[in-house]
Amino acid sequence: MITFRRKVFSVLLVGVLLLTVVASGCISGKTATTTPASSSSPTETASSPTITNAPKYPITVTDSAGRAVTIDKPPGRVIVLSSYWAEILCVIGVQDRIVGIGKYVPYDPYLPDDVKNRTVVGSNFKGLNWETVVGLNPDLIIIDWYGGKYADAETIQKAEELGIPVIALTAETIEDNVEVVELLGKVFDKEEKAGELAGWMEEKLSAVKETAAQIPESERKNALLISAPKDIAGPVTVYANGSAWASMVELVGAHNLAFDMTFDTQWPKLDIEKIIAYWGKDTDVLIVTSFSQDRLEDAVNGIKNDSRWQEIKAAKEGHVCGILAGSKGYLDWGPRIIVGLYQMANIVYPDRYQSWESVRDELIEKFYSPFYQGG
């Protein structure tokens, strides 16, 4: 009888030990993926795991100058020196945080008056009035980065001495503009809205690339992009390899003839004789651009009617078109560059691409309408 009881006791003991081992394993599994168990209250910890989201700030971003910039909190007082970056701030809904602007921002018709009326602090080119800057008490300054060519490096150095974070931005490609949208969304904790805009830009860019890839080699046109000269008989700036706008010619499926030659700058200045000698017989389309509507129209009309330019195939056949650049046009940095891309595509291949006007309307309706006042 005693032996039988011992056997029963042994079986029960083994069972209890097995349950203990199994139970221990389950609890250990929960503890490893949530909050570490407390030795004083294991039951409470296991049944009420606590998952704490990591705080978003401080964050560190790398700007176009290759600088690591740490942002401690969502910027509440911002100085932005360029209108196209200010447009992005308006799209993501932080325009009320802009306290200071660059000299040329008020001339942007796509910005609301309340932004254009902010305190002007200077420019990317001539530098800032630091007394005014300090008086605005900013916690972020957004500038363009020109590799230190203008006042960009000086602005960064002075701001760092004052303890004001600076983000320096530039864009050599359309993809760079998309990345700037995403970066600003992250800096201001507005990633969802920034993601919508970036996604729309990428979608339109992809559509251009897909259409361009389907153009047969035999139908690809040779194009040349130039800046409207003040005097069409004088030197002309050609957009060559390394220029973002020059690469847009290739994006739409044409060949930029200027890419066939090597220059020591992205924007060589050539006289009409050299342009004729280099590309006169091969230029199917001549695209002229300017920041001034009047100058653009004068240049396009002048080229069309000047006998010297008739030695260029595009001028002779009537394929000379203009695109307005800068804040009053669409060939500019920022979201509007997508519209500029479709303008160029429509000029070179008018039957292959969505109309640039419809792309413009989409951009305005989806992203600019909350603040755009027309004009």
Side-chain angles (χ1 to χ4, degrees), residues 57 74-75 78 80 84-98 110-112 115 140 142 167 169 177-199 201 335 363 366-372:
Y57 294 87
V78 184
V80 56
Y84 28 81
W85 308 141
E87 289 177 28
I88 295 174
L89 299 187
C90 291
V91 170
I92 65 177
V94 296
Q95 68 188 64
D96 59 329
R97 305 186 198 178
I98 298 174
Y110 294 91
L111 289 171
V115 170
L140 179 65
I142 299 173
I167 293 179
L169 301 173
N177 286 278
V178 176
E179 289 181 5
V180 169
V181 171
E182 294 173 329
L183 182 145
L184 292 178
K186 183 176 182 181
V187 166
F188 286 90
D189 194 19
K190 296 290 182 181
E191 291 176 84
E192 183 175 349
K193 193 62 183 178
E196 290 177 16
L197 175 58
M201 294 173 70
L363 177 67
K366 291 185 177 181
F367 301 103
Y368 280 55
S369 58
F371 60 87
Y372 178 56

Side-chain angles (χ1 to χ4, degrees), residues 355-374:
S355 75
W356 71 266
E357 291 93 342
S358 65
V359 176
R360 173 201 60 194
D361 293 346
E362 275 188 42
L363 177 67
I364 298 297
E365 181 181 348
K366 291 185 177 181
F367 301 103
Y368 280 55
S369 58
F371 60 87
Y372 178 56
Q373 297 164 331

Side-chain angles (χ1 to χ4, degrees), residues 90-223:
C90 291
V91 170
I92 65 177
V94 296
Q95 68 188 64
D96 59 329
R97 305 186 198 178
I98 298 174
V99 296
I101 57 175
K103 179 180 179 181
Y104 302 105
V105 172
Y107 300 102
D108 186 335
Y110 294 91
L111 289 171
D113 288 341
D114 62 338
V115 170
K116 290 190 284 189
N117 291 332
R118 295 287 195 271
T119 302
V120 174
V121 299
S123 77
N124 284 302
F125 305 103
K126 298 286 182 68
L128 307 186
N129 180 326
W130 287 101
E131 185 177 348
T132 304
V133 169
V134 171
L136 292 173
N137 191 28
D139 43 24
L140 179 65
I141 301 176
I142 299 173
I143 70 170
D144 282 343
W145 175 244
Y146 299 107
K149 186 177 180 181
Y150 301 108
D152 40 351
E154 172 192 319
T155 299
I156 291 171
Q157 181 180 354
K158 181 66 178 178
E160 287 180 342
E161 290 173 4
L162 294 169
I164 306 170
V166 176
I167 293 179
L169 301 173
T170 193
E172 295 181 355
T173 65
I174 293 181
E175 286 87 347
D176 289 345
N177 286 278
V178 176
E179 289 181 5
V180 169
V181 171
E182 294 173 329
L183 182 145
L184 292 178
K186 183 176 182 181
V187 166
F188 286 90
D189 194 19
K190 296 290 182 181
E191 291 176 84
E192 183 175 349
K193 193 62 183 178
E196 290 177 16
L197 175 58
W200 181 84
M201 294 173 70
E202 288 178 327
E203 177 189 323
K204 293 301 177 188
L205 176 58
S206 295
V208 167
K209 289 180 176 178
E210 289 173 10
T211 301
Q214 294 169 1
I215 299 173
E217 196 63 36
S218 60
E219 297 180 21
R220 291 185 181 272
K221 296 183 178 177
N222 294 319

Side-chain angles (χ1 to χ4, degrees), residues 211-212 215 219-221 223 252-254 284-287 318-321 341-359:
T211 301
I215 299 173
E219 297 180 21
R220 291 185 181 272
K221 296 183 178 177
V252 304
D284 299 311
V285 182
L286 184 64
I287 304 170
H319 297 145
V320 181
C321 296
L341 178 63
Y342 275 80
Q343 280 183 307
M344 197 171 290
N346 287 176
I347 287 174
V348 183
Y349 300 107
D351 299 329
R352 290 184 178 275
Y353 289 96
Q354 179 183 353
S355 75
W356 71 266
E357 291 93 342
S358 65
V359 176

